[in-house]
Amino acid sequence: MTGNWLLVLSIVFTIHMAHGCPQKCLCHMASKTTDCKNRGFTEIPAHLPPETQILQLQNNRIWRINQNAFTGTPLLKILDLSNNSLSSFAPGTFQKLRYLQVLNLTRNLIHYIENKTFSFLPHLKELDLSSNSIVRLPETFGNSTGNITLLSVKHNKLQKMGRVLLESLPNLKVVLFKDNPWLCNCNVFGLKLWLESFLYRGGISDGIICATPGIRKGKDLLKVPYELFGACPLMTAHAHLATTHHHSFEHRSSPKHSHHNEHGENSRLSCEPKPKPKPVSLRRAIATVVITGVVCGIVCLMMLAAAVYGCAYAAITAKYHREHLAPARQHGTPEEKEPFERCLA
């Protein structure tokens, strides 16, 4: 009997080792799930089953991910790394996960996301970056990330977010912005335009609540009138690119000029309010129209007065001829032939 039990245990151990399940993890072959949560890992465990599609690594102390950590799990679809100590990612960390659909990175120590961090994840649909310390996001998450339908950046330290990044996600259906210190000056103007269009197309969002400047603190960005952005140089991204390209083309041979161009572009992109409002020509045009209208009105009144006077004079002259000159011709009475001036008197 004891020999039978030893045989069974040896078979189970052999199967366990054949599938490569880490010592502290639970591997469920039927659901293709590897459960490694709450195990105190500081790195991605080795010897993961190659057929794993769901990998649960939440609630550990993982602080780094080696570039080849997921080489042995190419079929992974759901990766949960929430509540760990990750602060950054090496280039190409997730490149081997071409079938990944859900990536949960909530409650970590991430400060920023580099360009192309999530490159070559063509099936990625949900990306959750909430509850970190992210202060900036790249212009794009990487190549082949256009199928993302849900993006969450709530509970971070973002003051602005590039419209280019959001436009690179054409299939986005849900985006969550809550609890970020959004700076609602002209830097957020493009985001306001994108969000309005996104909601009009049926997208779902929790909205953007302004944190600064003080006069807009606590206000919904969608309810901030466009007129309040009038003091900022509202230049489109295409205008920025055209200006930068033209400037660099003229001075590409000079390092000094290139250095100056970089700082000049940054100063323009800072989008600080100017001391004088930009649309001065509009006010001049309005003043010109008003003055022209007043002058035209005065001229019209003078012409009307002249017309009335002419009509009155003609009427008086006609009456005089009827009442005085006509009887004088008939009766020839010299006394009735009075001058026009005496008649008026």
Side-chain angles (χ1 to χ4, degrees):
M1 186 68 178
T2 304
N4 292 336
W5 277 110
L6 290 174
L7 179 61
V8 171
L9 289 175
S10 64
I11 292 173
V12 171
F13 180 77
T14 302
I15 295 174
H16 179 82
M17 293 302 295
H19 284 83
C21 189
Q23 184 178 1
K24 297 181 180 180
C25 301
L26 298 175
C27 299
H28 308 283
M29 296 303 125
S31 61
K32 297 181 180 179
T33 300
T34 301
D35 183 356
C36 299
K37 60 178 179 287
N38 297 299
R39 297 293 191 273
F41 287 112
T42 57
E43 295 182 355
I44 305 297
H47 308 297
L48 294 169
E51 65 274 12
T52 301
Q53 294 185 5
I54 301 174
L55 179 56
Q56 298 174 335
L57 289 166
Q58 61 268 37
N59 304 324
N60 283 289
R61 297 194 298 272
I62 299 173
W63 63 278
R64 68 174 182 177
I65 300 177
N66 295 325
Q67 190 168 359
N68 298 321
F70 302 109
T71 304
T73 54
L75 303 178
L76 204 59
K77 292 183 178 179
I78 299 176
L79 176 58
D80 192 341
L81 284 164
S82 60
N83 197 20
N84 278 281
S85 303
L86 294 167
S87 59
S88 61
F89 306 100
T93 298
F94 305 102
Q95 277 190 6
K96 304 297 182 180
L97 304 178
R98 295 188 60 82
Y99 296 99
L100 191 66
Q101 298 179 9
V102 178
L103 180 56
N104 188 347
L105 295 170
T106 63
R107 298 189 305 279
N108 276 278
L109 305 174
I110 304 170
H111 291 280
Y112 55 88
I113 301 292
E114 294 289 352
N115 280 321
K116 302 181 179 181
T117 297
F118 308 112
S119 287
F120 306 109
L121 300 177
H123 297 284
L124 186 63
K125 296 183 180 296
E126 298 181 14
L127 178 59
D128 197 339
L129 299 170
S130 58
S131 299
N132 280 280
S133 301
I134 301 174
V135 295
R136 66 175 176 85
L137 290 169
E139 290 187 353
T140 175
F141 284 137
N143 301 325
S144 306
T145 56
N147 287 321
I148 294 177
T149 59
L150 182 147
L151 173 63
S152 177
V153 295
K154 62 182 182 179
H155 304 296
N156 277 287
K157 297 181 180 180
L158 291 169
Q159 289 188 322
K160 60 182 180 179
M161 189 173 185
R163 183 178 179 179
V164 176
L165 172 60
L166 293 166
E167 289 179 343
S168 69
L169 307 174
N171 292 307
L172 201 59
K173 299 294 186 295
V174 180
V175 58
L176 304 177
F177 296 108
K178 188 172 68 174
D179 289 337
N180 279 282
W182 296 109
L183 175 60
C184 291
N185 62 2
C186 57
N187 288 322
V188 81
F189 188 77
L191 181 57
K192 174 181 171 70
L193 293 175
W194 180 89
L195 185 56
E196 289 178 345
S197 176
F198 176 72
L199 295 176
Y200 178 78
R201 297 193 307 268
I204 299 174
S205 176
D206 56 359
I208 294 177
I209 304 301
C210 301
T212 52
I215 57 174
R216 298 172 199 168
K217 183 178 182 180
K219 292 186 178 180
D220 189 335
L221 176 63
L222 293 178
K223 297 180 181 179
V224 178
Y226 283 98
E227 291 76 9
L228 296 182
F229 299 98
C232 294
L234 303 179
M235 297 180 66
T236 63
H238 295 289
H240 279 303
L241 291 176
T243 304
T244 305
H245 176 73
H246 178 71
H247 187 80
S248 61
F249 179 77
E250 290 181 346
H251 303 281
R252 66 172 63 179
S253 60
S254 173
K256 180 179 179 181
H257 286 145
S258 298
H259 181 73
H260 175 74
N261 178 55
E262 179 182 354
H263 290 282
E265 183 182 2
N266 289 335
S267 63
R268 290 194 299 271
L269 292 176
S270 63
C271 205
E272 292 296 329
K274 294 183 177 180
K276 293 183 179 180
K278 187 177 181 180
V280 177
S281 58
L282 178 61
R283 294 204 305 270
R284 290 181 179 176
I286 294 174
T288 303
V289 171
V290 171
I291 294 173
T292 304
V294 172
V295 173
C296 290
I298 294 173
V299 172
C300 290
L301 289 175
M302 293 177 64
M303 293 178 64
L304 180 62
V308 171
Y309 177 79
C311 291
Y313 182 80
I316 294 173
T317 303
K319 183 177 181 181
Y320 171 78
H321 279 284
R322 285 197 306 271
E323 294 180 357
H324 298 281
L325 297 182
R329 291 195 185 97
Q330 293 177 1
H331 302 286
T333 306
E335 293 80 9
E336 294 179 354
K337 297 180 181 180
E338 299 177 352
F340 177 67
E341 289 80 4
R342 291 185 57 190
C343 180
L344 292 178

